[in-house]
Amino acid sequence: MHKTTFGLIGFPITHSFSRGYFTNFFWENELDDTHQYLNFSMEDISGIEGLRAAHPGLRGINVTIPHKKAVVPYMDRLDESAERIGAVNCIRIERDGTMTGFNTDYLGFRADLLAKMLEHEEALSPAIAEHNKRDIKEELRGALALVLGTGGASLAVKAALQSLGMQVTSVSRTAGPNKVAYGDLTAADIANAKLIVNTTPLGMKPNVETFPDIPYAAIDGRHFAYDLVYNPEETQFLAKCRARGAGTANGLGMLHGQAVAGWDIWSQQ
């Protein structure tokens, strides 16, 4: 009898904590005899077509770098959030074998960002009781966010920030509409931003010495830096921002949030 199977596709995926997270989840919920979570290292997204034949018990898939946009054409249908964002990080394999794409990055990032920024505000203020998520949302409304990178994960991040009323500017290797090149990013751009989010794989194991090339000297205690990378726990990007007095958070809370949302989606079969 085939185990009910879930898994992660991406390349590379040696950095991912998802398999450990779900393996522990299955054990805690006494599902480990019937459920499993596997890693599917896949350089070319076309390999997704053979997964169901190779794993008859496959019921759900997480998608990570670099396939979140490339996987969209392989979906039979998209839910509203995935269609609006243009990227998929969670797939449900329906009973008829078709695939439905979802985007839970949006939910995981938004919730974790607000929670981590609230913790930062509380650490700075003696009047902790006066701070809550509504205050954080008011502070973010109309503020500028710089999103480093333009890959699939950045689309969910931008959508989440825009839902909070933030102005969003993407930073990439080349300039374009609402997009500035790294080489053109100035200290004034940094100073004007409230939030800086790294959505690139720079700093991820094993390349822990890498980091986005931005004017870190312009960062101070008014800033908050969030890195979607969570392995290592503190990237060079976060360390540099923290050294300048900024609040910081990695993407582990986002991972947990999107994992919970993903399990809810898979359980609706």
Side-chain angles (χ1 to χ4, degrees):
M1 181 177 180
H2 299 293
K3 279 191 174 184
T4 301
T5 302
F6 304 90
L8 173 72
I9 60 174
F11 188 85
I13 54 175
T14 54
H15 67 279
S16 177
F17 288 171
S18 294
R19 186 175 187 180
Y21 176 90
F22 277 104
T23 298
N24 186 62
F25 175 83
F26 294 149
W27 180 82
E28 289 181 342
N29 289 275
E30 299 182 348
L31 296 171
D32 51 311
D33 286 340
T34 57
H35 291 60
Q36 64 179 346
Y37 192 98
L38 305 175
N39 282 345
F40 303 116
S41 183
M42 191 178 297
E43 189 169 5
D44 189 328
I45 190 57
S46 63
I48 193 174
E49 294 184 313
L51 277 184
R52 285 172 291 178
H55 302 275
L58 191 62
R59 294 293 176 265
I61 307 170
N62 288 131
V63 184
T64 190
I65 293 172
H67 299 317
K68 294 184 181 185
K69 289 192 289 187
V71 78
V72 171
Y74 292 88
M75 298 299 98
D76 296 289
R77 67 190 66 80
L78 300 173
D79 90 318
E80 182 275 331
S81 62
E83 186 168 15
R84 173 166 47 86
I85 293 167
V88 165
N89 77 303
C90 180
I91 300 169
R92 184 174 68 205
I93 299 176
E94 310 292 358
R95 294 190 182 278
D96 63 2
T98 59
M99 294 190 291
T100 304
F102 300 81
N103 193 298
T104 59
D105 279 341
Y106 172 94
L107 299 172
F109 169 74
R110 193 178 189 275
D112 191 53
L113 174 69
L114 292 174
K116 295 300 169 50
M117 291 196 75
L118 177 60
E119 291 174 7
H120 177 59
E121 293 293 326
E122 289 179 344
L124 294 177
S125 172
I128 294 176
E130 296 181 6
H131 291 272
N132 55 44
K133 287 186 180 179
R134 180 169 298 176
D135 295 327
I136 296 297
K137 290 180 183 179
E138 288 298 324
E139 184 176 340
L140 294 180
R141 186 172 292 114
L144 174 64
L146 296 177
V147 176
L148 311 181
T150 54
S154 74
L155 300 179
V157 167
K158 288 175 64 176
L161 297 177
Q162 289 166 344
S163 77
L164 294 169
M166 297 194 76
Q167 303 176 54
V168 181
T169 296
S170 296
V171 184
S172 185
R173 285 172 289 185
T174 57
N178 296 317
K179 185 173 68 171
V180 61
Y182 282 102
D184 297 330
L185 192 67
T186 67
D189 293 326
I190 295 290
N192 289 333
K194 168 69 177 176
L195 175 66
I196 306 172
V197 183
N198 177 40
T199 70
T200 78
L202 291 171
M204 180 187 299
K205 281 188 177 180
N207 302 312
V208 296
E209 74 287 349
T210 60
F211 54 86
D213 185 12
I214 64 174
Y216 290 95
I219 294 173
D220 58 30
R222 297 169 297 175
H223 291 90
F224 193 89
Y226 191 105
D227 199 332
L228 267 59
V229 174
Y230 50 83
N231 189 10
E233 183 175 342
E234 184 176 66
T235 59
Q236 286 293 315
F237 166 71
L238 291 183
K240 289 176 178 293
C241 292
R242 180 176 55 80
R244 298 291 306 173
T248 62
N250 66 28
L252 188 58
M254 174 182 171
L255 170 70
H256 289 168
Q258 64 88 10
V260 170
W263 179 250
D264 288 342
I265 287 169
W266 294 335
S267 298
Q268 291 171 13
Q269 296 182 72

